[in-house]
Amino acid sequence: MCLPANYKNPNCIFATMQLLDGKVAAAAIKEKLQHAVNERLLAGKKTPHLAAILVGNNGASETYVASKVKNCAEVGFKSSLIRLPLEVTEAELLAEIALLNQNTAIDGILVQLPLPKHIDDSKIIAAIVPAKDVDGFHAVSVGRMVQGLDSFIPATPYGIMLLLEYFGVATTGKHAVVIGRSNIVGRPMSILLSSHHPQGNCTVTLCHSKTPNLESFTQQADIVVAALGKPGFLTHSMVKPGAVVIDVGITRVTDATKKSGFSIKGDVDFDGVAPKCSWITPVPGGVGLMTIGALLMNTLKAAEGLDSAR
Ligand code: GUN
């Protein structure tokens, strides 16, 4: 679904439905980052440098990592893509991370998830030195985020906060319902929305696969973040008029009309839900673009040093 930012549905029951356009907000972030890189170079500092490790050749992971590398170049960052075969051992991957940890030319390290089953994600995440943890998945980063300290924030929830901030969406005192409790999106999102942040200060309910009568929660929500990975899950009857709806879903669905053979579907039934909303993110063109912008922000932060590292 591709709607202009000033889209007005004639059947819209909430008169001012507006699109949270990730293209516009991400472009603004990238402009800011380009400026920051230029300032750093003028001050005699180095170009921020991201290292991304990709294990195997999962199609979606290939696409995401390629996009991260491309966006680094667009803002003037360096990037290094380290490709490892699907059969790489956990020990070999840990050795690669140890090298990157020690390499002073590298500011940020990310290991694209998911990893093959024979590798323990949590061991890999724990091996990245916290000062280079631009994904914000390390226990030190998570702990600092929970305590409201300067930290790397996982890119998807951070991107959503930046999107809300860019469009000036008011969140204080609102009831936010987050669907999904992953460490990558749902759980950090619930923490950020309840934090002392201009786009936080919400009362948050975290729903998940074991939540009975989930629609009874979403129907009361001023803000819904759908991050469960089920295409079209959130439908018209589950949303309160005037709600802000954030769609994190990016599932590949078979589509014979597309050259690639698939299209990307969000967790929200956009056509049914949008007319009821005050604000809604499109898919594609919403949260996905902000995720990349947020990762780049974290990479700049890594180059500049966290408060804790200074
Ligand atoms: N897989 C899905 N989302 C992410 C992300 O934000 N970072 C990494 N490293 N892998 C992912």
Side-chain angles (χ1 to χ4, degrees), residues 100-140:
L100 294 171
N101 282 342
Q102 287 157 19
N103 185 344
T104 53
I106 300 291
D107 299 298
I109 304 169
L110 76 83
V111 179
Q112 188 64 27
L113 303 177
L115 287 167
K117 285 207 169 60
H118 65 275
I119 297 177
D120 180 349
D121 290 11
S122 59
K123 262 196 203 165
I124 299 305
I125 290 166
I128 296 171
V129 67
K132 298 189 182 187
D133 175 36
V134 288
D135 261 329
F137 297 161
H138 193 287
V140 168

Side-chain angles (χ1 to χ4, degrees), residues 56-111:
N57 51 7
N58 172 284
S61 292
E62 291 265 2
T63 306
Y64 302 145
V65 171
S67 181
K68 290 171 185 180
V69 167
K70 177 170 163 272
N71 276 273
C72 274
E74 284 171 4
V75 297
F77 289 4
K78 283 187 187 158
S79 67
S80 297
L81 173 57
I82 296 134
R83 291 177 154 277
L84 298 171
L86 193 62
E87 317 75 55
V88 70
T89 65
E90 193 174 270
E92 286 165 339
L93 180 52
L94 288 169
E96 195 65 55
I97 291 169
L99 286 178
L100 294 171
N101 282 342
Q102 287 157 19
N103 185 344
T104 53
I106 300 291
D107 299 298
I109 304 169
L110 76 83
V111 179

Side-chain angles (χ1 to χ4, degrees), residues 35 49 66 92 112 115 144 148 167-168 183 185 191 200 206 220 243 248 290 298:
H35 182 72
H49 190 162
E92 286 165 339
Q112 188 64 27
L115 287 167
R144 291 185 63 86
F167 286 100
N183 288 338
V185 187
I191 290 160
L206 181 57
Q220 294 175 40
V248 183
M290 296 306 293
N298 278 344

